[in-house]
Amino acid sequence: MDKMKIVILGAGYGGLRALKGLQKKHLNAEITLVNKNEYHYEATYLHEVASGANPPERISFAIKDVVDTKQTTFIQDTVIKVNKDDKTVELDKTGLISYDYLIFALGFESESFGITGVDEYALPMVDINTAVAIKEHMHRQFAQYEATKDDALLSIVVCGAGFTSIEYLGELTQQMPKLIKQYNLPADKIQLTCIEAMPTLLPMFVEKLSTYGIQKLKDRGVKFLVGTPIKEVTADTVIYEENEERKSIKAKTIVWTTGVKGSSVVGGSGFEERRGRVMVEADLTAPGYPEVFIIGDCSAVMNPENNRPYPTTAQIALKQADAAVANLVAKVNNQPIVPFTFKSQGSVCSIGNNEAIGEVLGANLKGYPASMMKKVIEDRSLSQTGGLKIMFSKGRFDLYH
Ligand code: FAD
Ligand code: NAD
């Protein structure tokens, strides 16, 4: 009998976890994993690379280390489109590959909301290349200061105050003393501004926690503008609205972290979507396509408690990967599927290497204990995508000494 063809698109949290789960099942199948890079990166650490706290190698590992070549072929290529009615995938260099089952896990892209100038002038943080680009851009600005004395070179605006922005600012403010020394900068002229559209900062946490976190960043020199939606970006200016009045800040480094959408391959392949996310069926397949599982940031699953989709996180992507593998195996064996359900374990937002705020299993945590908890969660997640060997080489064990 011909082997069944299972194709996994994307080797992020969802894709790699699904691969590991499938390989353990030893199905009579040819598994193909497609990813644009030969490495997996832990997207949850991108802010560390963008701030210069850690190099890219610290947050990534070779995909071949988790591929069982007896069962799986890894193709390093870019996915252009899924032809869902023909059950084929179009790859940039390889051309067409076919599948019987597809696990679609291409992750997230930056959301510009169509705001003028964002695509041209602001720096997104969505993968290793863009995180490195933020760091290198900032260094180039700082390097020019001594000769030009242009204050805009020392001004950094972080757009949005979601977790990505806060975690980036946490690391960046801890790197700043080193940068000031390296480029001989006047510390009093460094300007770090975070601009948030909504009236409240970190509203997902109880006030005591969010105030604690925000105060830490203020103490390290960050200025917050709140209730001030950004309207436009130019090469050296961020324009926002405050009390219906347009105002602006000069900055040569503009970091765009105002939220994410699912991969544009979702819409490009004709799936019904909103902001790149498909509202998946209970078994995590796309409506009308029972052989196409969509997981991670490209999928949306309703939280019955508030009737809104769960936020896109690595936490849910990992759980969906396990559920998609279980349901794929159930379908192959003509067994009933198990509807996907999710219970969030909470969330922790870092404010630098050794400080965080968070709510885990109903407990509110702040400071070093919260940071320790985050590292434990991250090490566990690394073991789930990479395995124990990778966890021991790349994990965060500084909490143990
Ligand atoms: P991804 O992890 O984004 O993986 C997608 C993969 O597909 C990547 O390897 C990418 O290279 C590849 N790919 C994309 N397009 C193509 C293409 N066209 N062709 C081939 N390959 C392609 N979540 C948490 O739960 N906890 C956290 O602490 C946390 N911290 C975060 C910190 C930051 C700075 C950011 C940005 C996000 C954080 N998140 C966190 C969210 C989390 O990173 C995402 O929800 C998660 O990465 C989504 O997993 P995924 O498998 O859907 O996609
Ligand atoms: P987000 O959507 O969570 O936050 C973006 C912020 O930008 C929001 O507060 C939004 O109001 C603001 N914003 C949007 N448009 C704006 C505008 N025009 N002007 C000013 N502000 C604007 O996005 P994110 O922080 O990139 O996070 C993406 C996903 O990844 C989320 O689901 C998040 O939970 C997850 N994440 C989790 C962690 C963690 O658990 N530690 C860390 C980072 C990201």
Side-chain angles (χ1 to χ4, degrees):
M1 202 176 83
D2 273 356
K3 281 190 172 181
M4 169 177 57
K5 289 181 182 162
I6 303 175
V7 172
I8 302 173
L9 303 181
Y13 288 91
L16 264 202
R17 177 72 189 162
L19 175 72
K20 281 181 69 84
L22 274 175
Q23 289 181 164
K24 276 197 198 134
K25 300 286 180 191
H26 294 284
L27 302 171
N28 183 30
E30 275 173 24
I31 306 171
T32 304
L33 172 69
V34 183
N35 195 68
K36 64 165 93 152
N37 308 303
E38 50 83 28
Y39 56 83
H40 159 92
Y41 53 87
E42 298 279 301
T44 56
Y45 298 136
L46 284 174
H47 56 288
E48 297 184 353
V49 172
S51 61
N54 269 317
E57 310 79 72
R58 184 73 176 83
I59 74 156
S60 55
F61 56 83
I63 288 169
K64 69 174 171 44
D65 290 352
V66 282
V67 168
D68 169 4
T69 49
K70 288 197 201 83
Q71 303 187 66
T72 304
T73 306
F74 170 53
I75 301 179
Q76 185 189 342
D77 207 341
T78 299
V79 179
I80 305 294
K81 191 181 172 198
V82 174
N83 301 310
K84 52 195 185 326
D85 297 313
D86 301 340
K87 298 191 190 171
T88 60
V89 182
E90 210 176 306
L91 304 183
D92 184 32
K93 295 191 288 279
T94 315
L96 285 183
I97 57 168
S98 61
Y99 63 82
D100 297 301
Y101 287 97
L102 183 71
I103 299 183
F104 189 114
L106 291 177
F108 64 96
E109 296 177 4
S110 179
E111 176 64 280
S112 67
F113 300 105
I115 295 173
T116 307
V118 170
D119 293 341
E120 293 88 333
Y121 304 115
L123 301 162
M125 190 194 303
V126 291
D127 55 18
I128 292 279
N129 291 344
T130 51
V132 169
I134 292 175
K135 180 195 143 192
E136 290 182 346
H137 177 93
M138 176 184 70
H139 276 255
R140 277 197 303 276
Q141 310 315 301
F142 288 174
Q144 289 171 51
Y145 183 76
E146 206 155 45
T148 63
K149 298 284 185 279
D150 174 1
D151 287 348
L153 292 165
L154 305 187
S155 170
I156 298 173
V157 170
V158 178
C159 305
F163 279 10
T164 301
S165 307
I166 298 296
E167 293 200 328
Y168 169 63
L169 282 162
E171 295 291 342
L172 183 65
T173 49
Q174 287 189 332
Q175 293 308 306
M176 224 20 115
K178 226 166 44 193
L179 291 163
I180 288 171
K181 219 166 163 185
Q182 182 180 352
Y183 291 103
N184 193 24
L185 304 174
D188 58 328
K189 293 217 158 142
I190 302 279
Q191 217 186 313
L192 300 175
T193 314
C194 179
I195 307 182
E196 168 58 44
M198 302 306 280
T200 317
L201 292 169
L202 299 176
M204 63 296 277
F205 294 129
V206 294
E207 204 186 327
K208 176 175 89 177
L209 281 192
S210 46
T211 307
Y212 175 90
I214 297 301
Q215 192 56 48
K216 284 274 164 199
L217 292 177
K218 285 183 178 169
D219 292 346
R220 297 185 210 156
V222 180
K223 181 177 174 195
F224 286 90
L225 298 177
V226 183
T228 46
I230 294 164
K231 296 292 175 188
E232 193 181 333
V233 172
T234 73
D236 63 357
T237 313
V238 179
I239 299 156
Y240 59 94
E241 203 171 80
E242 189 170 33
N243 303 324
E244 293 177 21
E245 202 185 314
R246 272 167 92 91
K247 297 188 174 172
S248 64
I249 298 188
K250 283 263 176 236
K252 285 275 170 86
T253 302
I254 302 167
V255 178
W256 193 257
T257 40
T258 60
V260 296
K261 58 185 176 189
S263 163
S264 48
V265 177
V266 173
S269 305
F271 290 106
E272 209 172 295
E273 46 104 24
R274 206 168 154 255
R275 289 179 62 190
R277 298 176 76 186
V278 176
M279 190 62 67
V280 287
E281 303 282 10
D283 63 355
L284 300 177
T285 58
Y289 296 90
E291 66 289 344
V292 178
F293 293 87
I294 303 194
I295 60 174
D297 282 16
C298 295
S299 71
V301 173
M302 276 299 180
N303 179 351
E305 281 170 24
N306 60 11
N307 240 355
R308 293 171 63 172
Y310 287 106
T312 51
T313 59
Q315 193 186 139
I316 193 168
L318 291 167
K319 294 274 184 225
Q320 287 179 311
D322 291 345
V325 168
N327 282 334
L328 190 157
V329 174
K331 286 183 184 216
V332 169
N333 295 329
N334 288 319
Q335 284 168 349
I337 60 102
V338 179
F340 176 72
T341 55
F342 179 65
K343 184 93 194 86
S344 170
Q345 307 291 295
S347 53
V348 186
C349 179
S350 65
I351 320 160
N353 178 39
N354 41 19
E355 290 260 16
I357 49 173
E359 181 269 309
V360 180
L361 298 171
N364 289 319
L365 299 169
K366 63 179 163 65
Y368 185 64
S371 172
M372 261 171 52
M373 178 55 78
K374 185 157 173 60
K375 287 172 186 174
V376 170
I377 295 167
E378 285 168 347
D379 285 349
R380 185 163 173 267
S381 144
L382 201 52
S383 79
Q384 291 182 333
T385 49
L388 285 179
K389 206 170 138 206
I390 285 168
M391 183 191 87
F392 283 118
S393 65
K394 303 277 174 172
R396 304 298 158 116
F397 296 103
D398 39 340
L399 67 120
Y400 304 118
H401 44 75

